[in-house]
């Protein structure tokens, strides 16, 4: 993705906009400046690794490599993008809450807990997609 900075910029901007929108839905008034979202005295800086790009790529590669019909693969990747984008917004909101109410645990929550949960979510999405996947014809 480093070779495609436009995609990273779009993902950072979109993530910030989505998190800001979710905060506004909760009747909060975040200030968004570039990649920084500030709410009161709490601020998060969105970097490319804070976006759902890598989890989406991981899920898409797994789905693309499985012997399933192309339409099924595309449907799974599309649904996965929506699910992972939504999950990432929830993750960022939880990190905001962590910074506000339990700042000393932020590093653990951000680096260890949420990254592990993200891998579990990607795995669960792939396993769910497999569960409902049309049967693969046996090769002779």
């Amino acid at each position: 993705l480093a070779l495609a900075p436009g995609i990273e910029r779009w993902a950072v901007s979109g993530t910030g906009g989505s998190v800001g929108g979710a905060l506004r839905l909760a009747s909060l008034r975040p200030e968004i400046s570039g990649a920084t979202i500030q709410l009161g005295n709490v601020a998060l800086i969105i970097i490319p690794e804070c976006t759902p790009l890598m989890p989406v790529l991981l899920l898409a590669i797994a789905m693309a490599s499985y012997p399933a019909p192309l339409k099924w693969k595309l449907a799974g990747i599309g649904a996965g993008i929506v699910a992972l984008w939504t999950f990432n917004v929830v993750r960022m909101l939880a990190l905001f809450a962590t910074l506000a109410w339990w700042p000393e645990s932020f590093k653990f929550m951000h680096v260890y807990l949420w990254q592990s949960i993200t891998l579990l979510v990607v795995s669960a999405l792939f396993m769910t997609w497999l569960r409902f996947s049309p049967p693969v014809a046996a090769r002779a």
Side-chain angles (χ1 to χ4, degrees), residues 47-90:
I47 62 172
E49 290 79 10
C50 294
T51 70
L53 282 178
M54 287 300 167
V56 164
L57 280 175
L58 181 62
L59 182 62
I61 289 166
M63 289 177 175
S65 65
Y66 188 78
L70 181 60
K71 285 183 181 180
W72 185 250
K73 291 178 183 188
L74 294 175
I77 292 168
I81 290 169
V82 171
L84 288 169
W85 195 279
T86 303
F87 166 78
N88 195 59
V89 169
V90 170

Side-chain angles (χ1 to χ4, degrees), residues 3-95:
L3 297 175
I7 293 172
E8 285 187 342
R9 281 191 301 274
W10 173 84
V12 167
S13 172
T15 298
S18 296
V19 172
L23 290 168
R24 285 186 202 93
L25 280 175
S27 298
L28 300 171
R29 303 208 191 297
E31 294 180 29
I32 301 173
S33 175
T36 303
I37 305 170
Q38 184 153 355
L39 187 62
N41 61 352
V42 177
L44 280 179
I45 299 171
I46 310 294
I47 62 172
E49 290 79 10
C50 294
T51 70
L53 282 178
M54 287 300 167
V56 164
L57 280 175
L58 181 62
L59 182 62
I61 289 166
M63 289 177 175
S65 65
Y66 188 78
L70 181 60
K71 285 183 181 180
W72 185 250
K73 291 178 183 188
L74 294 175
I77 292 168
I81 290 169
V82 171
L84 288 169
W85 195 279
T86 303
F87 166 78
N88 195 59
V89 169
V90 170
R91 180 182 77 87
M92 298 300 288
L93 293 173
L95 288 172

